[in-house]
Amino acid sequence: MSFYKALLWPRLIEEKMLILLRQGRIGKWFSGIGQEAIAVGSTLAMQPDEYILPMHRNLGVFTTRDIPLSRLMAQWQGKASGFTKGRDRSFHFGTQEYKIIGMISHLGPQMALADGIALADELGKRKKATLVFTGEGGTSEGDFHEALNVASVWNLPVIFLIENNGYGLSTPVNEQYKCEKLSDRAIGYGIEGRTIDGNNVLEVYHTINELAEDIRQNPRPVLLECMTFRMRGHEEASGVKYVPQELFDEWKEKDPISNFEQFLLDEGVLNADKIKVIRSGFTSMIDIQIERVFNEPDIIPDPAVEIADMYKPSNFAAVQPSDQKTSKRYIDAISDGLREGMKKHPNLVLMGQDIAEYGGAFKITQGFVEEFGKDRVRNTPICESGIVGAAMGLSINGYKSVVEMQFADFVTCAFNQVINNLAKTHYRWGENVDVVVRMPTGAGTGAGPFHSQSNEAWFTKTPGLKVVYPAFPSDAKGLLLAAIDDPNPVIYFEHKYLYRSISEDIPDDEYTIEIGKARVVQDGTQASIITYGLGVHWALEYAKQHSDKSIEIIDLRSLQPWDKEAVEASVKKTGRVLILHEDTLTNGFGGEIAAHIADHCFAYLDAPVMRCASMDTAIPMNKALEDQFLAKARLGEMMERLLNY
Ligand SMILES: Cc1ncc(C[n+]2csc(CCOP(=O)(O)OP(=O)(O)O)c2C)c(N)n1
Ligand SMILES: [Mg+2]
């Protein structure tokens, strides 16, 4: 009986939604009518504290976890009592209270999050299973492959549930994939795969129950394909013209609710009167809860609230350096920072390609496996998206992580996870994403277009991310430790050319440097060079060679947030400013600084704000070409212009 009620409840809610749509009282609706047995049966089989990651058609997951309809309705209507303060729509939200992690629109990325959640359970020895949904359309995304492969290699207790409803928007399965059954793909990952009748709630329940029980004890992923059919359009406005009528007729006979109802009638568990009572009780509950939400006041926009919620407050409290200092190279300072972070946070996990026994492409994590063990120093397959997604999953389930990109250039493969998942989650539904992405970046080593790009501007323009870029060993360690402490996603740039070319006395123990604070590297009165990364060293070299000029050098150290006060103070003092960076000119971060100075320091300027940046080309390998490309080649000439203006 409880199963019947659990199945009927989302169906009746949906029927009401269709009426409201026709009345023009609500906007979009992605219907799961005809597919309820999958969401409901699987949720009933999971333990209440196990995470479920549903998709856009899985109302039954939310209702079976007993989220009140009024809260769901408030979410759909963008009201304050929903889950996202009106910031995201439909099922695009998560809730720790109900252990449900909703999707971003991109479908596939969801699956990697499940890996991270399950990994956290494994590291915490909790013996839990995680359930993640995808449509059959979503299985064509690379994220599906990456997530299954990682889960398989790491023996993660995840049930990957494919809801095969015949269509991905208008695309039928024969244009989506070629294998006979999608569960056959399990063979390729060395895992178990099954295909079951997704319209039979008991079959779904018993299968998930058995699989979950098994993988809790003997952790490993499984692939479960549930066959069903989408009885309505992709979303209500898009129609169903492309679906042959025979399919609707055929699947109507297999309706999960009427069939289960008939089964219960045959078994004598239900009778017509009971059905009537249950239905009318539900219908009036639906009406009451929904009308209540329509009467809720609308959200009053407040820009300060929106800006504040983009990041979780970091509550930075500086950890002061000890007096004990040792001369360290930039690369060793990063290792040092990571090691201190690992000691300080027992829940910190490092992930990256070849970072364990091999010690990483640049040997930054050499010896870490011996010191911290393989659980916390994890070699990964080559799948940046899957690993950044897993990092977010770890964070959701109580862990911190630092992900090493082998080269900053390869972050393109994780772009969606960084830009849409890491960056936007706190704003969308209040969950912080406690992840640092390490980015070995930059040129000077003749490594060519795919191993030396400066790509910080891809991230500085994305609200929700913090971006740091140390130029000295002491900053490299202190900023890395601050990044690890910070509960927000931090993109940590480390310059490869600086790894072994500079050393400095740095404190031996843990200390932190506040993110967002620039440093005056050299005082001066005639002109300011505002820069970061390798640019700081170019500026220092220039200043040394022109000791007759009084040049002030500001090292930004952080690009998001960046230290506007320090820049303004310097410009007001010198009246002349050159912004210098290794990134290419057009839309480089320097444009942002220049615009800010023009707006806030115009009256103090004795010369136009100038920028010195690398050429607007891809970065070439040949040494002479690379030298010509880099901003440094034009620094002297630009400074002449600035000082003589
Ligand atoms: C990366 C990406 N590409 C395209 C879309 C647009 N889109 C949204 S849902 C959908 C179909 C998904 O099909 P399937 O995975 O089978 O799920 P279903 O809608 O059938 O439940 C498409 C193409 C998207 N959201 N994300
Ligand atoms: Mg589909």
Side-chain angles (χ1 to χ4, degrees):
M1 186 73 108
S2 63
F3 278 35
Y4 175 69
K5 287 184 176 169
L7 265 182
L8 188 62
W9 179 235
R11 168 69 60 92
L12 294 184
I13 292 174
E14 283 222 42
E15 286 177 354
K16 177 72 180 183
M17 289 300 132
L18 300 185
I19 294 168
L20 292 174
L21 260 180
R22 279 196 290 276
Q23 294 171 339
R25 296 180 78 195
I26 61 169
K28 254 185 157 45
W29 186 254
F30 292 87
S31 173
I33 286 183
Q35 306 181 203
E36 295 95 335
I38 300 171
V40 172
S42 61
T43 304
L44 286 167
M46 297 296 285
Q47 295 172 354
D49 61 348
E50 287 176 325
Y51 282 95
I52 303 181
L53 297 89
M55 299 302 285
H56 49 288
R57 246 174 256 295
N58 299 132
L59 171 62
V61 171
F62 297 83
T63 53
T64 307
R65 282 262 158 115
D66 288 332
I67 301 185
L69 173 59
S70 53
R71 258 204 106 183
L72 289 174
M73 189 65 188
Q75 164 63 21
W76 303 331
Q77 290 299 100
K79 301 279 189 178
S81 65
F83 290 88
T84 63
K85 302 186 186 172
R87 291 170 188 163
D88 207 342
R89 66 186 203 187
S90 60
F91 295 110
H92 293 298
F93 67 92
T95 151
Q96 289 285 8
E97 193 184 346
Y98 297 95
K99 293 279 181 276
I100 293 175
I101 306 302
M103 62 188 293
I104 58 167
S105 292
H106 303 65
L107 313 165
Q110 184 81 334
M111 290 178 266
L113 268 53
D115 284 355
I117 288 172
L119 174 60
D121 283 336
E122 283 306 287
L123 294 173
K125 307 206 180 337
R126 298 186 198 127
K127 292 196 181 301
K128 294 286 172 198
T130 298
L131 171 65
V132 62
F133 284 72
T134 175
E136 87 292 340
T139 66
S140 301
E141 294 188 51
D143 283 307
F144 173 84
H145 165 69
E146 294 194 11
L148 263 80
N149 188 53
V150 169
S152 161
V153 171
W154 289 357
N155 292 321
L156 300 175
V158 181
I159 300 170
F160 291 93
L161 190 160
I162 304 169
E163 203 169 13
N164 191 337
N165 63 2
Y167 285 85
L169 214 158
S170 75
T171 305
V173 290
N174 64 341
E175 292 181 32
Q176 193 73 250
Y177 60 87
K178 193 86 179 175
C179 49
E180 195 180 323
K181 289 187 291 179
L182 281 170
S183 61
D184 288 345
R185 290 195 185 166
I187 302 164
Y189 299 105
I191 65 176
E192 184 188 348
R194 289 194 206 174
T195 297
I196 62 168
D197 177 2
N199 278 21
N200 181 334
V201 70
L202 295 179
E203 187 168 340
V204 174
Y205 172 80
H206 288 302
T207 307
I208 300 271
N209 196 31
E210 178 202 326
L211 291 173
E213 198 48 48
D214 195 7
I215 68 175
R216 283 177 202 125
Q217 302 308 322
N218 177 16
R220 64 188 195 287
V222 289
L223 182 61
L224 179 66
E225 181 184 25
C226 297
M227 303 307 294
T228 184
F229 194 69
R230 200 190 68 201
M231 293 301 284
R232 303 198 60 88
H234 171 63
E235 45 89 26
E236 284 306 314
S238 64
V240 285
K241 268 204 210 113
Y242 49 86
V243 183
Q245 184 57 41
E246 309 87 82
L247 284 176
F248 287 122
D249 299 341
E250 181 190 323
W251 282 91
K252 191 162 186 294
E253 296 298 308
K254 301 185 199 167
D255 183 80
I257 293 168
S258 49
N259 279 324
F260 191 57
E261 197 173 80
Q262 190 56 51
F263 168 75
L264 295 178
L265 285 169
D266 294 345
E267 294 287 307
V269 178
L270 270 183
N271 57 44
D273 281 348
K274 277 189 191 161
I275 292 176
K276 224 185 209 166
V277 172
I278 295 171
R279 281 183 177 261
S280 71
F282 276 0
T283 312
S284 51
M285 254 154 64
I286 289 170
D287 286 343
I288 293 166
Q289 294 205 34
I290 281 180
E291 288 310 319
R292 196 194 307 153
V293 175
F294 276 122
N295 291 328
E296 267 185 33
D298 283 331
I299 287 175
I300 299 164
D302 178 349
V305 171
E306 301 305 297
I307 293 283
D309 279 358
M310 206 57 228
Y311 295 89
K312 179 166 180 170
S314 65
N315 299 325
F316 177 81
V319 178
Q320 293 304 332
S322 65
D323 293 335
Q324 282 287 76
K325 287 189 177 182
T326 309
S327 173
K328 294 259 165 74
R329 297 175 302 175
Y330 183 91
I331 190 166
D332 304 322
I334 298 169
S335 289
D336 241 30
L338 276 179
R339 191 174 288 105
E340 291 298 330
M342 289 292 271
K343 284 196 246 165
K344 178 175 179 186
H345 303 284
N347 65 338
L348 176 62
V349 175
L350 308 184
M351 298 191 285
Q353 290 147 32
D354 312 291
I355 68 162
E357 293 81 358
Y358 186 70
F362 298 101
K363 304 294 174 199
I364 283 178
T365 49
Q366 186 118 53
F368 275 52
V369 175
E370 290 76 10
E371 198 172 343
F372 301 106
K374 265 209 102 150
D375 271 356
R376 294 181 63 203
V377 184
R378 306 185 73 87
N379 276 340
T380 73
I382 305 170
C383 52
E384 287 76 6
S385 180
I387 295 305
V388 173
M392 172 154 160
L394 278 172
S395 174
I396 286 169
N397 205 0
Y399 279 75
K400 283 174 167 289
S401 60
V402 176
V403 177
E404 175 178 305
M405 289 293 135
Q406 201 153 68
F407 286 80
D409 309 65
F410 303 143
V411 77
T412 41
C413 296
F415 209 61
N416 186 39
Q417 293 284 16
V418 174
I419 300 297
N420 288 316
N421 251 334
L422 300 195
K424 296 177 177 49
T425 298
H426 185 264
Y427 177 73
R428 290 171 53 240
W429 54 277
E431 175 69 24
N432 64 292
V433 178
D434 201 343
V435 174
V436 177
V437 182
R438 283 187 37 233
M439 302 275 279
T441 191
T445 57
F450 307 116
H451 288 81
S452 15
Q453 288 169 85
S454 288
N455 54 17
E456 62 272 16
W458 298 347
F459 304 100
T460 51
K461 84 151 319 303
T462 301
L465 301 175
K466 294 192 177 182
V467 179
V468 299
Y469 200 147
F472 295 95
S474 54
D475 290 338
K477 180 171 173 179
L479 278 170
L480 181 55
L481 281 163
I484 292 171
D485 279 354
D486 198 293
N488 296 285
V490 183
I491 310 295
Y492 177 92
F493 284 92
E494 48 191 68
H495 203 292
K496 302 190 300 287
Y497 185 80
L498 297 177
Y499 275 162
R500 295 176 170 83
S501 62
I502 52 166
S503 298
E504 197 183 12
D505 282 346
I506 68 166
D508 288 341
D509 303 328
E510 186 207 349
Y511 64 96
T512 52
I513 290 172
E514 188 172 1
I515 293 174
K517 295 286 178 225
R519 184 161 78 95
V520 182
V521 176
Q522 176 174 306
D523 273 315
T525 53
Q526 280 178 277
S528 304
I529 301 181
I530 314 291
T531 184
Y532 56 90
L534 192 52
V536 179
H537 300 278
W538 293 338
L540 281 167
E541 190 183 321
Y542 174 86
K544 203 168 163 196
Q545 286 163 359
H546 299 81
S547 51
D548 54 319
K549 314 254 168 49
S550 176
I551 310 291
E552 179 144 303
I553 300 172
I554 306 288
D555 174 5
L556 287 175
R557 304 197 290 188
S558 294
L559 304 181
Q560 177 59 273
W562 65 282
D563 196 339
K564 300 181 175 83
E565 290 76 24
V567 169
E568 285 174 30
S570 183
V571 175
K572 286 175 184 173
K573 183 170 145 194
T574 64
R576 288 172 200 268
V577 57
L578 179 78
I579 300 153
L580 169 66
H581 60 56
E582 181 182 336
D583 194 4
T584 48
L585 181 74
T586 303
N587 287 318
F589 191 65
E592 178 62 30
I593 304 169
H596 183 88
I597 295 171
D599 195 359
H600 293 87
C601 308
F602 183 72
Y604 297 86
L605 289 171
D606 297 322
V609 181
M610 295 186 192
R611 286 181 294 158
C612 180
S614 294
M615 285 167 63
D616 280 329
T617 67
I619 171 162
M621 180 270 293
N622 170 290
K623 177 88 172 82
L625 289 176
E626 188 188 61
D627 285 347
Q628 169 185 267
F629 163 87
L630 289 172
K632 187 185 178 194
R634 289 165 293 284
L635 178 56
E637 169 199 330
M638 290 298 299
M639 285 303 289
E640 286 299 297
R641 263 184 66 198
L642 181 72
L643 291 164
N644 295 328
Y645 183 86

